[in-house]
Structures are given as C-alpha cells and as structure tokens.
Amino acid sequence: MKLAIVADWLTTFGGAEHAIAEFVRLWPDAPLFTSMTRLEKVQALGTVNIRPTPLQQRYKLLGNHQLLLAQMPRAMEDIDLRDFDVILSSSHAVGKGIIPPSNSVHICYCHTPMRYAWQMEDQYLEDFRIPRFLRPMIKHRLRDLRRWDLSTAKRVDVFIANSTETQKRIQSVYARDAEVLPPPVADHFFETALTDASDRTSYLALGRLVPYKRFDLLIETANRLQLPLMIAGTGQEEERLKRMAGPTVKFLGFVPDGDLPALYAQAKALLFPQFEDAGIVPLEAQACGTPVIAYGVGGALDSVRDGETGIFFQQQTVDALADAIHKFENLHFDPKNIRKHAMQFSGARFRERLEEIVEKAKERFVR
C-alpha cells in the first residue's frame, strides 16, 4: 500500500498533531505533506519525512501561518500525489483540499469543518485582534474560502470525525456521513502513577490562553471561591488574565508534554469551560485518573461520564461553574475507574480502529 499523510500545517504540537503522531506510528515510511512546518515544534513526530509546500519559504519570513491562509488552497492543490493509492489527511482547515489521483482513495480524519470559515468567523476575528478596517476584506476572503472548502469535500471518499459534534457538523456543512473515532491519548499518560484523591490540593486548567477557551471564567470563579487553581499554557490573553487573577491562581507557563502526566495526576480536577469539537485535554486528564469538570457541550459529552469520571455544568457563568465545583467537592471519584474509562481512547485502540477503516476503504475504492 502506497500511503501518503497530509496535514494542514505543522507549526505546533497540539491535538491534531497527536492524531498525526499515531498515523506516523502506523505508517512510519509514509511521507507527510503539509503547507508549512516549524520542525522544532513537532519533534515528537520523530524522523518522519515532512514535505512542505513552497509556502514554507514565505512562512520562514513571516513566522505566522495565519497570514498565508488565503494562499494555502492553491498550495495544497499543487501537491503531487500521483505515486500514492491511499491518502490519509488530517484536516481542520485546508488538509482535505488536496487533489487525489483518480485511482486512489482519500480518507479524511476531520477535526472540524473549518471553524473560522463557518461557525466562528466573528469570534476568530476577535481572537486574532484583526483591526476593524481590515475585517470587510478578510470576510470577503473567508467567503471565498467557504466556497472552496465546500468543493473540497467532494474530493474525500471517507470521512472520519473526531467526535459526535464534528460528525454532526460534517453532515450539516458537507452533507456527508462520517464514522466517529475519538482522538488518541498517548501511552505515557497511562503510565504515570495514580495519586489518591485525598492527596490532591489544586484544580488545573491548561491550553492556549485565547478568549474562547474561557480562562477568564475560571479565574473569576477561583477569585470568588478562593479556589487554588493552576493554569498551564501561554497565549495572547496571558497578560490580561494575570491582571485578573487573585492570590490563589498560579500561572505555570508552557509545560512540556513529558511533564503533563505528573501535573494532571496531582490535580483535584481538570476544569474545562470551553466549547470544543473534541478536546484531547479531558482525555489526558482521565488517563491520569483525574476527574473533569466540563461545560456540558461538544466533545466533552463523548469523553466524560457525568457522575462517574467528572461532572458537567450547563452555562458558561460563574454561578454555574461554582455550583458544579461545590457539587464536585461532595462526591468521590476513583482514579482507577477514571483511568479504566480512558483506556478506550488509548493510542493503541485508535491505531487499531484507524487501520481497520483504512483497509476497508482501500478494498472498496482502490482497484
């Protein structure tokens, strides 16, 4: 089987890249095509053969992949895939936009239909602090991007969704069915020693410090309840959030992936207040035996069992989150049971199911 892997861009190591790492473990000899890369940020992928498009040179000069978004569709379409009979793309933006050979099968692991082109246009303009005078021009480009994105769905033979929420969006936006395969949790999260619940003292939140992830809600709640809260991550909101934070909130900055298991295992609970399509963070926490207090929408509904591995709150307000924390404090969660639940999301299970899907697609489409 001549298989190629395709990714939107590889400029950081986040949730999408965790999935790509499992692609690479299954098919270590497959080349990995992408619009652009920052190799020092994706060393966890190993010695994979990464092949960026010519946009790589412009990215080196600009240092910001978002500035090149309008040029990515053409760059992805120009990737030559004639030597491959199976193309496996990871896409939350432009990855599925490649033009597959007529005698190949294109399988897309979809993290979401392009959010800033469809559901969250205005929010992304705010998050990236786009000046008001530039927004009409950018919205015009996003309209063009929507049309292109819709057309590229026809180039996909098999869609895989990373959550039930994404499955619904694929049906709504592209009118296509998709099989759900939740994102994988790396093996080392299951290898850390479990900590007894009575030995855990602080709550934890982590991720990019951007507006939609609602760290402001966590800080307001921690301030009101005098709650010990650790925040791991960096981002454009960091200075504003630090100004908001009271004495019980501690910022840890960037935490390397290898240090995350111990951090999760020491936390009373992971606080997850945002609406995510899937979200790898709650799964990693549960793999370390840590319960999750999550906003009860989106991908969290697939990964957290209410009352067993965590609890949900239904509104993004201080009152709703505070009530959930009070409820949590009066419940007992067994770290062993939480880890057992998380095992169904292990990297090994992910690889097993993905290989099955790819083999079935190859048998169906490749002649």
Side-chain angles (χ1 to χ4, degrees):
M1 180 169 63
K2 296 178 180 178
L3 184 142
I5 301 169
V6 179
D8 300 292
W9 49 76
L10 296 170
T11 58
T12 188
F13 196 82
E17 288 72 30
H18 279 81
I20 293 167
E22 301 299 341
F23 296 179
V24 171
R25 289 188 68 176
L26 272 173
W27 298 284
D29 296 327
L32 174 48
F33 296 90
T34 189
S35 62
M36 62 202 76
T37 184
R38 193 173 176 182
L39 291 175
E40 68 272 19
K41 293 290 188 179
V42 291
Q43 292 178 352
L45 293 176
T47 57
V48 63
N49 177 11
I50 298 178
R51 302 183 188 180
T53 70
L55 288 182
Q56 180 70 16
Q57 297 305 316
R58 298 178 192 177
Y59 174 66
K60 286 182 178 179
L61 293 173
L62 296 173
N64 186 326
H65 67 273
Q66 287 98 340
L67 297 175
L68 296 167
L69 186 61
Q71 300 169 53
M72 289 184 196
R74 178 65 181 272
M76 300 304 289
E77 291 178 338
D78 285 345
I79 295 174
D80 186 354
L81 296 165
R82 286 176 293 179
D83 292 337
F84 304 96
D85 50 27
V86 178
I87 295 101
L88 176 60
S89 64
S90 163
S91 185
H92 56 81
V94 298
K96 75 178 192 316
I98 51 92
I99 299 178
S102 60
N103 60 342
S104 70
V105 58
H106 178 193
I107 304 154
C108 175
Y109 187 77
C110 185
H111 305 275
T112 179
M114 198 181 301
R115 293 179 77 176
Y116 33 89
W118 296 100
Q119 292 93 354
M120 298 177 66
E121 178 183 291
D122 290 329
Q123 183 170 324
Y124 271 89
L125 293 174
E126 290 293 332
D127 286 1
F128 289 114
R129 298 176 182 171
I130 303 298
R132 295 285 174 184
F133 74 93
L134 288 177
R135 294 189 181 192
M137 178 188 69
I138 291 175
K139 286 195 172 191
H140 177 75
R141 290 186 177 180
L142 287 175
R143 282 194 294 272
D144 292 340
L145 198 58
R146 274 194 292 275
R147 286 193 288 269
W148 176 81
D149 183 55
L150 199 58
S151 71
T152 65
K154 300 173 184 177
R155 304 173 191 172
V156 177
D157 297 299
V158 176
F159 270 106
I160 307 171
N162 66 351
S163 70
T164 304
E165 178 68 27
T166 299
Q167 181 188 48
K168 293 175 183 176
R169 289 188 182 181
I170 290 171
Q171 178 58 238
S172 173
V173 175
Y174 303 138
R176 296 288 301 276
D177 294 330
E179 182 170 348
V180 176
L181 176 57
V185 180
D187 295 341
H188 63 281
F189 289 98
F190 294 98
E191 295 164 358
T192 189
L194 294 175
T195 305
D196 189 80
S198 61
D199 295 328
R200 302 166 182 241
T201 57
S202 294
Y203 289 86
L204 173 67
L206 63 92
R208 291 179 297 116
L209 305 185
V210 294
Y212 90 89
K213 290 187 181 282
R214 297 307 313 269
F215 286 93
D216 58 334
L217 172 60
L218 301 185
I219 290 172
E220 289 178 25
T221 307
N223 290 347
R224 177 193 288 188
L225 302 181
Q226 293 297 291
L227 198 74
L229 172 64
M230 298 184 295
I231 296 176
T234 60
Q236 66 192 61
E237 288 275 282
E238 187 168 352
E239 291 306 314
R240 185 180 79 87
L241 293 172
K242 284 182 175 178
R243 290 194 296 270
M244 289 178 56
T248 65
V249 180
K250 181 179 180 181
F251 287 82
L252 304 179
F254 171 74
V255 178
D257 190 70
D259 296 337
L260 287 177
L263 187 63
Y264 283 126
Q266 295 166 8
K268 292 182 70 171
L270 173 79
L271 301 182
F272 194 74
Q274 66 263 40
F275 181 1
E276 295 280 15
D277 300 298
I280 191 66
V281 169
L283 292 173
E284 291 176 347
Q286 291 172 92
C288 299
T290 300
V292 179
I293 301 174
Y295 181 37
V297 296
L301 297 175
D302 287 343
S303 60
V304 179
R305 286 184 178 173
D306 194 18
E308 297 181 28
T309 70
I311 60 174
F312 294 128
F313 60 98
Q314 301 305 323
Q315 293 179 307
Q316 288 175 308
T317 64
V318 173
D319 287 342
L321 178 54
D323 287 345
I325 291 170
H326 287 311
K327 179 180 177 181
F328 171 82
E329 293 281 358
N330 292 305
L331 297 173
H332 174 74
F333 293 89
D334 185 343
K336 291 181 181 178
N337 289 339
I338 295 173
R339 172 170 283 179
K340 182 179 179 181
H341 163 71
M343 285 298 297
Q344 64 185 299
F345 304 100
S346 69
R349 179 60 179 145
F350 178 89
R351 294 190 299 273
E352 178 184 332
R353 286 195 56 204
L354 178 62
E355 193 168 26
E356 290 174 357
I357 293 169
V358 170
E359 287 296 333
K360 287 180 181 178
K362 181 174 176 288
E363 291 174 6
R364 179 182 174 190
F365 290 98
V366 179
R367 296 290 182 263

